[in-house]
Amino acid sequence: MSERRIENHDVIPAALREREQWVCWREEKRDGKPTKIPVTPGTGEFASSTDPETWGSFETALAYTDTANADGPGTGEFASSTDPETWGSFETALAYTDTANADGIGFVFTDDDPIVGVDLDDCRDPDSEDVANAALDIIERLDSYTEVSPSGTGYHVLITGDLPDGRNRRGSIELYDTARFFTVTGDHVDDTPTRVARRQDALVAIHREYVQQTDGDGASDAGQRDAGSVQSETPGVADVDVGIDLDDKDLLKKARSASNGEKFERLWNGNTGGYDSQSEADMALCCLLAFWTGGDRAQMDQLFRRPGLLRAKWDEVHYADGSTYGEKTIERAITTTSEFYDPDAGDDSTSSSTSSGGATFDADGDESDRTHAYLVEKNRLLTERVDELEARLEQKNERVDTLEAELEQLTEERAARDRTTGETEDTHTGAASENDSETATPSLWDRLVGRRSE
């Protein structure tokens, strides 16, 4: 049923296909906006970009997405045991059994691979195929495998390299290297390589020019030519450290008394409930710490080492640039936190959800949304599964009733046939006995007559 079926599988670079980091996705509307929900190949259950158990191979994801469109098996409609129009061949039924309702496939980025994804949104007219100058500049400089996004309004560029420190998103440009998935369409852009090339220097330059710099820093000439399509006014990492002068004791007191203080307290005590992994819980706490410390890395690290979430992994080197897991988590928490506590904003003890500008802010909003989305999707999928199993059970019960009726009919037919056969055999046996008597009598008479004659 997918309208985004990949016709030429070989166009997907082997560097991606050979990794078992694939999920499927289904598009649904959330709050009126289309959202791509990751699903596990083969089961249709909610997938997580941080849980390898929910991923599969490229072939498995592709087979699960490419649902057959044939009549009968392949439609998913209710079949009848008396209507041949709803039946199909063994091969068709088997193929449909191994598929499900998914709109496409996606590749998951992890810390264990060198692949970086560059997402360029809202830069392509799907009708005229006109492309924004900034997007063209980025695609040409990265010079790696590039394809059109599912919506047709953007591009995905895949390279190998190390994502530079600092923020990873600005306006319609996003850079990912872990804990996210990229939709993969196979709609390869002509004149771009068919392989995932290493482009570290280009990545660093593009990150600096299009993502890291603020408007005041000045962008590249190409960026200025089309600034509207690739810029946002969100401050960069250079603007983060606002120098909030709070000692640890005062900071913790304010964090605990804020409107989301209960959440802070749970994370501080090492409770990871509601998160797909401890890494997500680590990030959630770091986002809260980033808000209260004003992005002070040293104080964030010092505070994180005190609560229940600390583990040996915090100081382990996990990145090619020598960064530890803790350093990178703090860095990413700072870059994803857009508002910070301002002690001069008035009532500073009520909530860490209010910034100096009055805008609402939830340092853990993304995680809460993901958790809610996960639970809603999980419940929906479980409900569908129950309905499916009940429908199958009803079909099987109908089939059992049909077989029992057929068995009863066959039993009656056999009994009747046995009775008919028995009567026929009795008739034949009687006739044979009479014939034997008749045959025996003349023979005896002949002998008697013969004797008398003699």
Side-chain angles (χ1 to χ4, degrees):
M1 54 80 62
S2 174
E3 298 179 354
R4 303 176 176 90
R5 182 175 298 162
I6 298 177
E7 300 296 341
N8 182 10
H9 305 167
D10 294 336
V11 74
I12 308 300
L16 304 179
R17 286 186 282 117
E18 66 188 11
R19 295 180 177 274
E20 295 200 0
Q21 295 170 209
W22 293 86
V23 295
C24 298
W25 59 269
R26 180 169 52 250
E27 187 173 286
E28 296 182 359
K29 283 194 174 182
R30 296 285 173 84
D31 298 326
K33 297 180 180 180
T35 302
K36 295 178 178 62
I37 304 298
V39 296
T40 302
T43 68
E45 296 183 352
F46 187 86
S48 170
S49 57
T50 59
D51 183 4
E53 295 298 323
T54 64
W55 312 338
S57 67
F58 172 76
E59 292 76 12
T60 301
L62 196 64
Y64 190 72
T65 302
D66 286 340
T67 304
N69 285 315
D71 294 333
T75 66
E77 298 179 355
F78 188 84
S80 170
S81 58
T82 60
D83 183 4
E85 295 298 323
T86 64
W87 310 341
S89 67
F90 169 78
E91 291 77 10
T92 302
L94 189 63
Y96 186 72
T97 301
D98 292 334
T99 58
N101 188 20
D103 290 322
I105 62 175
F107 180 81
V108 181
F109 301 104
T110 74
D111 290 335
D112 298 326
D113 66 61
I115 299 174
V116 177
V118 180
D119 188 6
L120 307 174
D121 284 334
D122 302 324
C123 60
R124 178 182 185 270
D125 186 324
D127 296 323
S128 65
E129 298 187 0
D130 290 338
V131 185
N133 290 336
L136 283 175
D137 178 60
I138 293 172
I139 292 172
E140 290 176 358
R141 289 164 67 182
L142 290 177
D143 192 27
S144 187
Y145 176 79
T146 305
E147 61 178 32
V148 179
S149 64
S151 66
T153 61
Y155 295 98
H156 290 167
V157 186
L158 290 151
I159 65 174
T160 62
D162 299 314
L163 189 59
D165 294 340
R167 63 191 300 174
N168 67 336
R169 176 176 182 173
R170 186 178 181 190
S172 56
I173 298 179
E174 297 180 73
L175 310 175
Y176 300 117
D177 67 344
T178 189
R180 291 294 295 265
F181 82 95
F182 242 14
T183 57
V184 175
T185 63
D187 190 359
H188 177 245
V189 176
D190 294 339
D191 299 326
T192 66
T194 57
R195 75 185 194 284
V196 179
R198 180 166 181 81
R199 296 288 185 259
Q200 184 63 32
D201 292 343
L203 175 62
V204 171
I206 287 169
H207 177 265
R208 181 181 63 253
E209 296 170 22
Y210 286 98
V211 180
Q212 185 66 41
Q213 289 183 345
T214 62
D215 292 340
D217 295 330
S220 66
D221 293 340
Q224 293 175 354
R225 287 196 302 269
D226 197 25
S229 65
V230 294
Q231 294 184 28
S232 75
E233 297 179 357
T234 306
V237 173
D239 303 319
V240 165
D241 191 355
V242 297
I244 296 174
D245 187 15
L246 280 178
D247 61 29
D248 293 354
K249 182 179 179 180
D250 290 339
L251 185 152
L252 293 175
K253 181 179 179 180
K254 290 181 179 296
R256 288 185 171 117
S257 62
S259 62
N260 58 358
E262 183 179 349
K263 179 186 297 182
F264 179 87
E265 188 70 25
R266 288 199 310 270
L267 290 167
W268 182 262
N269 293 328
N271 187 342
T272 61
Y275 297 93
D276 291 341
S277 66
Q278 184 166 341
S279 295
E280 288 195 7
D282 292 344
M283 177 62 75
L285 179 58
C286 281
C287 285
L288 291 170
L289 293 175
F291 173 84
W292 286 110
T293 64
D296 186 326
R297 298 179 185 229
Q299 190 175 18
M300 287 175 65
D301 181 72
Q302 177 181 319
L303 286 167
F304 192 93
R305 294 179 181 278
R306 291 174 54 182
L309 287 180
L310 182 65
R311 46 186 171 149
K313 181 180 179 181
W314 187 256
D315 292 314
E316 294 176 358
V317 175
H318 275 236
Y319 301 90
D321 62 358
S323 299
T324 64
Y325 167 78
E327 290 170 342
K328 191 67 72 174
T329 301
I330 288 175
E331 172 191 309
R332 288 174 177 163
I334 293 173
T335 60
T336 56
T337 301
S338 59
E339 303 289 346
F340 299 89
Y341 168 64
D342 183 356
D344 299 324
D347 186 1
D348 59 13
S349 63
T350 56
S351 174
S352 64
S353 301
T354 305
S355 69
S356 59
T360 58
F361 168 73
D362 184 352
D364 197 24
D366 291 342
E367 286 75 11
S368 297
D369 291 343
R370 285 198 296 271
T371 300
H372 176 70
Y374 172 84
L375 293 176
V376 170
E377 179 68 8
K378 189 75 171 179
N379 182 64
R380 187 186 69 79
L381 291 171
L382 288 174
T383 301
E384 289 183 355
R385 183 60 174 165
V386 169
D387 293 341
E388 178 186 351
L389 292 174
E390 288 179 347
R392 288 186 180 181
L393 179 60
E394 184 177 353
Q395 293 179 44
K396 291 182 182 296
N397 288 336
E398 290 180 356
R399 180 59 175 163
V400 169
D401 292 341
T402 301
L403 291 174
E404 287 179 346
E406 292 178 355
L407 178 61
E408 183 178 354
Q409 181 180 353
L410 290 172
T411 301
E412 292 177 356
E413 290 178 355
R414 180 172 181 178
R417 186 168 60 249
D418 289 345
R419 287 195 299 272
T420 301
T421 302
E423 292 174 358
T424 302
E425 289 178 350
D426 291 344
T427 301
H428 290 167
T429 301
S433 299
E434 292 177 1
N435 291 335
D436 291 344
S437 299
E438 292 176 357
T439 303
T441 300
S443 178
L444 178 59
W445 176 260
D446 289 343
R447 288 200 298 273
L448 290 174
V449 172
R451 287 177 182 174
R452 288 179 181 178
S453 300
E454 292 175 356

